[in-house]
Amino acid sequence: MNSLSHYLSALPLVAILRGITPEEAVPVAEILYELGFRIIEVPLNSPQPFDSIASIAKRLGDEALIGAGTVLTVDDITRVRDAGADLVVMPHSDVDIIRASKQRGMICTPGIATPTEGFAALAAGADGLKLFPAELLTPKVVKALRAVFAKDTIMIPVGGIALDTMADFWSAGATGFGLGFALYRPGMTPNDVREMAAKFIRVFTSLPKR
């Protein structure tokens, strides 16, 4: 398995398919992969999430990083791993979940909102930090966090990221972006997702290079 940085280097946009069904999962994931996405997560509060994760992992797991979001317990990790996925994403910073993920050889990005949570998560083995919710952790906060963490710390704002907010977060030091309902929401067709994904890619590619 490649590193989190490897998958982000291709396109630092994470597709969060909250609410997707197993029937929709592969067609939507294939479109995202075709457009350049290399990280796809299905939150566990989606319908039959492990079925969706398993289907996407079977189809794209050799080329993309597939995993689960909204992972709340250590027991969830075993089911995610059994589904063939390699990524554990959390809304919070539970060091027991982080350590259990790393013991299973998985990539883990916990949600953090403070420096205390962030440093504790990294000490437990987190591969990157999900800055959540981004509506609360404004670009000014991201800039302040960036000043005290190691330069190579992966920081991905999630929660409310929109086409018109990416530039400010990028300037503040974001490594990438987690895209939720702005990219996909239940009821969207694969073509709807294609259209929104293309818009996000166009905005990202217009941002200053690093």
Side-chain angles (χ1 to χ4, degrees):
M1 180 177 59
N2 292 307
S3 68
L4 179 59
S5 294
H6 168 83
Y7 294 105
L8 289 168
S9 67
L11 178 69
L13 302 179
V14 180
I16 303 169
L17 305 181
R18 188 180 306 278
I20 201 162
T21 66
E23 293 74 24
E24 300 168 307
V26 170
V28 168
E30 286 179 334
I31 283 174
L32 292 168
Y33 182 83
E34 173 192 330
L35 292 175
F37 281 75
R38 293 297 180 266
I39 306 178
I40 300 172
E41 69 171 86
V42 176
L44 294 187
N45 55 358
S46 303
Q48 299 173 261
F50 297 103
D51 292 339
S52 295
I53 292 167
S55 296
I56 298 172
K58 182 177 180 180
R59 176 66 183 86
L60 297 173
D62 290 339
E63 293 88 21
L65 179 60
I66 311 301
T70 318
V71 176
L72 301 179
T73 71
V74 171
D75 289 342
D76 287 336
I77 299 170
T78 299
R79 297 188 68 187
V80 173
R81 197 74 181 100
D82 289 345
D86 294 309
L87 173 66
V88 170
V89 182
M90 306 145 58
H92 61 322
S93 184
D94 185 325
V95 295
D96 289 337
I97 295 176
I98 298 169
R99 291 187 181 119
S101 299
K102 298 313 296 178
Q103 287 169 0
R104 290 164 174 78
M106 303 173 78
I107 290 172
C108 184
T109 56
I112 70 103
T114 67
T116 299
E117 292 174 330
F119 282 111
L122 294 173
D127 296 274
L129 303 178
K130 168 184 173 179
L131 308 184
F132 179 79
E135 295 101 328
L136 178 65
L137 300 176
T138 64
K140 287 184 178 180
V141 174
V142 175
K143 185 176 181 179
L145 291 172
R146 180 56 78 189
V148 297
F149 283 88
K151 184 178 295 187
D152 61 351
T153 301
I154 293 172
M155 295 186 178
I156 302 175
V158 179
I161 296 298
L163 294 167
D164 61 354
T165 62
M166 293 171 68
D168 287 343
F169 278 105
W170 186 251
S171 296
T175 309
F177 302 94
L179 308 178
F181 280 154
L183 174 67
Y184 170 84
R185 64 181 62 236
M188 291 178 70
T189 67
N191 282 336
D192 291 336
V193 178
R194 181 189 296 276
E195 182 178 340
M196 287 308 305
K199 288 180 180 179
F200 274 105
I201 291 171
R202 282 197 295 271
V203 170
F204 176 75
T205 55
S206 72
L207 299 177
K209 305 300 179 186
R210 289 182 181 159

